[in-house]
Amino acid sequence: MRLSLQAEAGDRLSCEKRVPEKFKRKKDVLNVVEKVTKKGSARRLKKPYLHGPSHGKVSQKTKAAAQISMDEFDWTDTIKECPVYRPSKEEFEDPLVYVQKIAPEASKYGICKIVSPLGSSAPAGVVLMKEQKRFKFTTKLQPLRLAEWNNNDMITFFMRGRNYTIRDFEIMANKATARRYCISGCLPPAYVEKEFWKEMTVAKRGTVEYGINIDGSAFSSTFSDPLGSSKWNFKILPRLQRSTLRLLVNEIPGVTDPMLYIGMLFSMFAWHVEDHYLYRQFLYIFLTPFPLSINYHHCGAAKTWYGVPGHEALQFENFIRHRVYNEEILSENGVNGAFNILQERTTMVSPKILLQYGVPVYKAVQMPGEFVITFPRAYHSGFSHGFNCGEAVNFAIGEWFPFGAAASERYALLGKVPIIPYEELLCAEAMLLSKSLASRPYCTSDLIDVRCVMTSFSCLLRSYHRARWCLEKLRTSLKMCSKPRGSFTCILCKRICYVAYLECKCFAGPICLFHDFETFNCLCGSSCSLFVTEDISTMEAVAQMFEAEEGMRYEVEQKMKSLPYLWIQTLFPRIQGKYRPYCEIMSSSIQNVDTGIKMSMIRRSTAQGKQMRNMKKKRINGA
């Protein structure tokens, strides 16, 4: 049975109109209807442009909502708070070090809050108007209700098409709040939270506007500003990342560029995880958010956040799939179908229902001057208590790579084009790490970061090695070629491949190695070419060096038995012969198709090849 918060109101909120006793005569009823119709027509001719949750009108549903006791929403007081951290100025100096320090504890809750010891001397509105002249943004219109989530009722947030300056939006937002509560500020967070879920439960026609994903930053660039000149400035923070992770900033616009979020009363962000399970940190000085995900509250009213821990993500997705969505709207089977719709960021579900079904939920009320961090694979949602402005930015540290592998596999299953070239980033990071380890050992503070890179890289190389071994067994005449530098997108699943890919006359583009080629619909016989990166031997040597570290081989073997590597165990089930990691692979030498230059990067390892080498050894020993 599917759940919906509207059902909770049920019989209590009946909207049937009762005809008063004095209107029971037919003639009187017709006269009243005629009068009401004429008045309604006159109103329609003078209908103004309306803003805010109530749109200036009190509907029958809203009247019914007013009859509900606020005590029925006391469940909001039972949601546990997420951890709150208050670092000293010394601890606050390096954001990446501090986040890594609190991550083992804070990640268990999905979200956490950091109260900044530094303030800003430049108001966000002044920064936007002076440093970004002619700053304007376009809002999205959000319906204030809970959908049935079937083919006839699916929520969408569409563009309103109206531009605002931040001042014009603030005036509109404050008027909407004042219409409802007589004042536009200083509303108690617990009261607003109850009001939000009451509105979502019973309202049908209310809408709010929300400015989301607005390019820009409200952090000041002046040296006299304590926060703006610190490393927590979102214009600076992503660029503090080590080595290749900076590629996320320099080569993938929008992933780690700061984004502004400007909201009003009940503006909401629906349940979702960050793209590629990135972190997101939000700093709020009193405008609103930024993203490990990091979000900072620049100014304005508070913001309520709900978070589900990353280790409970599968449970959350299963709940949404079985209890919220109708099967008819799922484009894929299983939780991947639910994930696909969740990523549209339009699904709002009450934390009350989640808690009733055993999905843990934690809460944070973000005030100006506070950061909120959402951890990888942690589903989160929330809403604004009034006009506010926040900023957000994504970033990744070494601990992200295992999540990146899982995200890349899920994107491939859904046939979605990834934003981030995960394989290329991981390989580049691992190769740089191997060089740095040769000159100096890593320090204790980098231990988790380094081992995550080592484990993820070794698992990736093992996966590719096994796939190449299976292909050799299936197609002994497979042509091996040196791959041009760069990443290529699989034409079948959209996976971005960096280490290797196949080309075949049956398909008009590259094919990744992670398809079941035993049942593959390929009609060209043995005319496939396997393109492998020219430094594959060096990469495998580095992976073996990583696995030589104490305890690493066991970690890698355990990781290979779990998602996202489980699929590799099911490929090519009828292939004879026992596979050994990093065993020699039979092949003629890899040849560059363009130049014909041969490169002996893959050595022979079939039974015939071993016999020939043994015979050669015997001759040498006999001599």
Side-chain angles (χ1 to χ4, degrees):
M1 176 180 175
R2 294 178 54 255
L3 297 175
S4 172
L5 273 183
Q6 290 95 322
E8 293 182 9
D11 299 331
R12 300 191 306 270
L13 305 177
S14 175
C15 294
E16 295 180 0
K17 297 182 179 179
R18 300 173 182 266
V19 179
E21 189 71 21
K22 61 181 179 179
F23 290 143
K24 284 193 174 179
R25 287 181 309 212
K26 184 175 180 181
K27 183 178 179 181
D28 290 335
V29 172
L30 291 174
N31 289 337
V32 169
V33 170
E34 185 178 358
K35 289 178 182 178
V36 170
T37 304
K38 288 179 179 178
K39 288 181 181 178
S41 301
R43 286 195 193 99
R44 281 195 292 273
L45 291 172
K46 299 177 182 179
K47 186 176 180 181
Y49 183 85
L50 299 169
H51 299 285
S54 63
H55 279 204
K57 295 163 69 175
V58 180
S59 67
Q60 194 71 22
K61 232 6 176 174
T62 306
K63 288 180 181 178
Q67 299 171 8
I68 300 178
S69 170
M70 293 296 282
D71 294 341
E72 297 187 33
F73 296 91
D74 283 347
W75 57 265
T76 58
D77 301 326
T78 66
I79 304 174
K80 294 180 181 178
E81 299 282 338
C82 72
V84 179
Y85 298 93
R86 302 176 185 274
S88 64
K89 289 183 179 179
E90 291 74 21
E91 292 175 314
F92 197 69
E93 187 174 346
D94 191 323
L96 297 185
V97 170
Y98 187 72
V99 169
Q100 199 156 336
K101 176 184 174 182
I102 66 173
E105 177 191 35
S107 60
K108 297 175 184 176
Y109 300 84
I111 61 173
C112 75
K113 190 166 73 169
I114 299 175
V115 180
S116 173
L118 302 177
S120 176
S121 60
V126 173
V127 173
L128 290 174
M129 297 310 293
K130 286 190 175 181
E131 295 189 12
Q132 300 188 48
K133 293 182 179 179
R134 299 177 183 174
F135 173 76
K136 285 190 174 183
F137 61 94
T138 305
T139 59
K140 281 191 175 182
L141 203 63
Q142 299 179 324
L144 269 177
R145 66 182 182 84
L146 296 167
E148 292 296 329
W149 289 109
N150 53 41
N151 279 336
N152 298 322
D153 185 24
M154 294 177 65
I155 291 285
T156 57
F157 296 159
F158 55 88
M159 294 302 295
R160 176 67 175 176
R162 180 168 179 180
N163 292 333
Y164 289 94
T165 64
I166 191 167
R167 177 61 180 155
D168 290 341
F169 186 85
E170 181 184 17
I171 293 170
M172 180 277 294
N174 287 341
K175 283 183 178 179
T177 305
R179 277 200 301 268
R180 181 182 287 267
Y181 300 118
C182 298
I183 59 173
S184 61
C186 303
L187 299 172
Y191 176 80
V192 177
E193 185 179 15
K194 291 180 174 63
E195 283 282 298
F196 173 77
W197 288 112
K198 177 181 172 182
E199 187 76 19
M200 291 292 286
T201 300
V202 300
K204 284 292 184 184
R205 300 181 63 184
T207 59
V208 292
E209 295 183 57
Y210 195 14
I212 64 172
N213 297 332
I214 304 166
D215 292 330
S217 173
F219 280 98
S220 174
S221 299
T222 60
F223 291 106
S224 60
D225 185 274
L227 187 62
S229 58
S230 75
K231 294 178 181 178
W232 290 81
N233 184 329
F234 286 177
K235 301 172 188 174
I236 300 170
L237 189 149
R239 291 167 176 79
L240 301 176
Q241 298 172 113
R242 285 198 340 262
S243 57
T244 54
L245 292 178
R246 295 194 190 103
L247 288 172
L248 292 174
V249 180
N250 299 329
E251 297 187 11
I252 312 172
V255 175
T256 51
D257 292 332
M259 294 284 186
L260 291 165
Y261 296 81
I262 303 175
M264 62 182 292
L265 179 67
F266 299 159
S267 292
M268 72 191 86
F269 51 103
W271 290 102
H272 68 284
V273 290
E274 298 307 319
D275 290 325
H276 289 268
Y277 302 157
L278 285 167
Y279 290 78
R280 190 176 191 88
Q281 178 174 334
F282 291 87
L283 296 164
Y284 249 71
I285 301 181
F286 227 44
L287 275 169
T288 301
F290 13 135
L292 236 259
S293 147
I294 287 186
N295 180 305
Y296 183 74
H297 193 349
H298 282 291
C299 65
K303 194 172 191 177
T304 291
W305 292 74
Y306 303 109
V308 173
H311 62 270
E312 298 288 351
L314 188 60
Q315 184 183 357
F316 175 87
E317 290 166 0
N318 272 316
F319 167 81
I320 295 294
R321 172 194 170 197
H322 292 297
R323 302 289 177 177
V324 178
Y325 296 155
N326 275 357
E327 291 291 332
E328 63 190 16
I329 68 172
L330 299 177
S331 59
E332 298 284 336
N333 294 326
V335 293
N336 286 321
F339 173 80
N340 219 9
I341 301 177
L342 281 165
Q343 284 306 89
E344 295 176 8
R345 306 188 181 200
T346 56
T347 303
M348 286 299 286
V349 177
S350 166
K352 176 185 179 182
I353 307 301
L354 291 170
L355 291 169
Q356 286 177 348
Y357 278 82
V359 181
V361 181
Y362 298 93
K363 177 169 64 176
V365 178
Q366 189 183 24
M367 307 298 290
E370 295 178 350
F371 294 83
V372 166
I373 297 180
T374 65
F375 290 89
R377 215 184 174 191
Y379 277 93
H380 51 282
S381 69
F383 62 93
S384 292
H385 296 202
F387 168 76
N388 57 26
C389 174
E391 189 171 335
V393 68
N394 287 312
F395 69 92
I397 57 179
E399 292 174 64
W400 165 77
F401 280 110
F403 295 98
S408 295
E409 180 60 23
R410 172 163 263 182
Y411 273 61
L413 288 171
L414 293 171
K416 296 178 67 175
V417 179
I419 303 170
I420 296 170
Y422 166 76
E423 283 185 19
E424 185 173 358
L425 280 175
L426 177 57
C427 290
E429 185 73 8
M431 299 307 284
L432 282 176
L433 177 62
S434 67
K435 293 176 182 177
S436 65
L437 291 178
S439 58
R440 61 177 180 81
Y442 53 85
C443 59
T444 307
S445 61
D446 293 334
L447 180 61
I448 297 176
D449 204 26
V450 167
R451 291 185 77 89
C452 281
V453 174
M454 288 180 171
T455 305
S456 299
F457 180 71
S458 298
C459 287
L460 179 70
L461 267 290
R462 279 197 181 210
S463 299
Y464 266 109
H465 191 279
R466 182 179 179 113
R468 286 163 50 218
W469 181 83
C470 292
L471 283 168
E472 290 281 2
K473 292 288 183 180
L474 282 172
R475 304 182 179 193
T476 54
S477 59
L478 189 69
K479 184 166 64 174
M480 309 291 289
C481 306
S482 176
K483 181 183 75 65
R485 288 193 174 274
S487 297
F488 296 82
T489 304
C490 175
I491 196 171
L492 299 178
C493 65
K494 311 303 180 187
R495 185 195 302 270
I496 298 180
C497 306
Y498 176 73
V499 178
Y501 64 86
L502 278 170
E503 281 193 356
C504 168
K505 291 181 180 179
C506 299
F507 296 90
I511 308 164
C512 76
L513 272 56
F514 306 123
H515 294 282
D516 189 352
F517 289 97
E518 197 170 20
T519 56
F520 203 63
N521 186 21
C522 176
L523 306 176
C524 66
S526 60
S527 63
C528 278
S529 297
L530 174 59
F531 288 81
V532 183
T533 185
E534 60 184 14
D535 56 349
I536 185 68
S537 296
T538 306
M539 286 185 178
E540 289 185 349
V542 168
Q544 291 180 73
M545 181 186 75
F546 287 166
E547 291 189 30
E549 292 278 326
E550 184 179 355
M552 278 298 301
R553 180 161 295 162
Y554 177 77
E555 286 184 31
V556 171
E557 288 174 351
Q558 292 303 306
K559 198 74 175 176
M560 290 295 291
K561 294 177 183 178
S562 62
L563 291 173
Y565 306 102
L566 191 60
W567 46 266
I568 200 69
Q569 315 296 331
T570 62
L571 292 181
F572 317 110
R574 293 192 295 275
I575 293 178
Q576 300 298 318
K578 186 177 180 181
Y579 170 74
R580 291 181 294 104
Y582 304 117
C583 63
E584 295 179 344
I585 299 178
M586 180 278 295
S587 170
S588 57
S589 55
I590 297 180
Q591 98 174 13
N592 187 304
V593 176
D594 297 324
T595 64
I597 299 173
K598 293 186 176 182
M599 294 173 281
S600 55
M601 298 175 63
I602 300 181
R603 297 169 292 180
R604 301 176 181 273
S605 66
T606 59
Q608 181 181 3
K610 288 180 181 179
Q611 288 178 3
M612 291 175 66
R613 286 194 295 274
N614 289 335
M615 289 174 63
K616 188 175 182 179
K617 285 180 182 178
K618 287 180 181 179
R619 291 195 196 101
I620 294 172
N621 293 334

